[in-house]
Amino acid sequence: MAVPTVASGCANSAKSGVEALEAGDYKEAQAQFEKLTEEKDKKKSAEGYRGLAMTYYEQEEYSSALDAFKKAVDTGVVQTTQIYNLMGVCAMKTEDYEAALEYIQAGLAMAETGKDSAEMIQEMRYNEVVCYEKLADWENAKQKASEYLIEYPEDTAMEREAEFLETR
């Protein structure tokens, strides 16, 4: 009987973690991803943190999710628009709008049309307006709302938001 190598053990933890996450077995997903975070290989550890972040996110534990996303980025996970979007959402959910704005803008700066989903980019642009509004930065909120409506004129929620901002 062959003894699994450390590498296949890591792959198994990653696969098992993803399968558990997809099945909604968050306790198992967390256990598998935590195993990965302990790896000496930074790439595997970073993937563990990303999986852990997603596990927390799915459970609406936004503060823990944000901490895990930060560790994933610090450990060297491939930085994507999606990760920065999720970090922005987590920061918004914990009412840290300054951090949320930074994450959203970082994600938008790396967004690639065609590669990143149009819906995610639209969501990030919408959330950027919300962050400026929550920070009472009315001028930037108005400007971003106006830019948003040029790109997405069919968004009636933003139309109402823009009307509200005009009163500020």
Side-chain angles (χ1 to χ4, degrees):
M1 178 173 185
V3 176
T5 64
V6 173
S8 67
C10 292
N12 290 340
S13 289
K15 184 179 178 195
S16 296
V18 169
E19 288 172 355
L21 181 60
E22 289 174 350
D25 185 352
Y26 301 121
K27 186 176 181 179
E28 179 62 21
Q30 184 174 342
Q32 293 300 323
F33 290 130
E34 282 177 348
K35 282 183 194 176
L36 272 179
T37 66
E38 296 168 4
E39 289 297 318
K40 292 190 187 333
D41 180 324
K42 282 187 135 190
K43 184 176 180 182
K44 292 174 185 169
S45 179
E47 290 301 318
Y49 282 117
R50 184 172 61 127
L52 201 53
M54 291 306 303
T55 302
Y56 289 131
Y57 185 88
E58 289 296 320
Q59 296 175 87
E60 299 180 359
E61 294 178 23
Y62 299 112
S63 182
S64 296
L66 184 54
D67 288 343
F69 277 126
K70 287 179 190 176
K71 287 179 183 170
V73 168
D74 291 346
T75 310
V77 76
V78 174
Q79 296 180 32
T80 64
T81 304
Q82 182 181 28
I83 286 177
Y84 280 96
N85 180 45
L86 292 169
M87 291 172 75
V89 170
C90 288
M92 288 177 72
K93 294 287 189 175
T94 61
E95 299 183 2
D96 184 352
Y97 297 104
E98 285 182 31
L101 188 57
E102 289 177 23
Y103 297 132
I104 290 165
Q105 289 175 336
L108 287 170
M110 66 174 47
E112 295 180 34
T113 307
K115 182 178 179 188
D116 294 305
S117 86
E119 294 84 14
M120 181 178 56
I121 292 169
Q122 182 176 357
E123 175 187 339
M124 292 175 76
R125 289 186 174 150
Y126 186 97
N127 286 340
E128 184 179 32
V129 174
V130 172
C131 287
Y132 277 124
E133 182 183 332
K134 294 290 188 178
L135 293 169
D137 184 343
W138 308 118
E139 290 309 309
N140 277 319
K142 287 178 196 178
Q143 178 185 345
K144 292 297 181 179
S146 176
E147 292 170 7
Y148 178 95
L149 285 170
I150 290 169
E151 185 120 3
Y152 310 104
E154 72 288 346
D155 191 328
T156 56
M158 184 56 75
E159 283 180 15
R160 288 189 301 275
E161 197 66 30
E163 288 172 15
F164 166 77
L165 289 168
E166 287 303 318
T167 67
R168 299 284 169 226

